[in-house]
Amino acid sequence: MTTPQAERHRRFLELHARPEGFVMPNAWDALSALVLREAGFEALGTSSAALAASLGRPDGVGAVGLLE
């Protein structure tokens, strides 16, 4: 069962409110996201420039489509 968006948002805000902070790495493709999740990171960011570079494309509006 998927977690409702409001619950995900609440959990993300809680990460930011912790006194000790947290580390949020940037995934550049689906495999790196899986590896980072398996490594135990509590949240992942995405980098449009890294994703575009992994596909051999420039970063920018329309450079990478949803199905690529």
Side-chain angles (χ1 to χ4, degrees), residues 1-25:
M1 182 175 191
T2 60
T3 305
Q5 189 66 27
E7 174 64 13
R8 291 179 184 185
H9 181 250
R10 183 193 63 74
R11 288 186 354 219
F12 191 65
L13 291 177
E14 286 176 355
L15 290 174
H16 285 82
R18 294 192 317 207
E20 69 274 13
F22 72 103
V23 174
M24 187 172 82

Side-chain angles (χ1 to χ4, degrees), residues 9-58:
H9 181 250
R10 183 193 63 74
R11 288 186 354 219
F12 191 65
L13 291 177
E14 286 176 355
L15 290 174
H16 285 82
R18 294 192 317 207
E20 69 274 13
F22 72 103
V23 174
M24 187 172 82
N26 281 315
W28 57 92
D29 61 11
L31 182 58
S32 66
L34 291 173
V35 168
L36 293 168
R37 182 181 70 182
E38 290 297 316
F41 288 100
E42 299 172 275
L44 301 177
T46 58
S47 167
S48 64
L51 175 60
S54 74
L55 296 171
R57 303 277 180 84

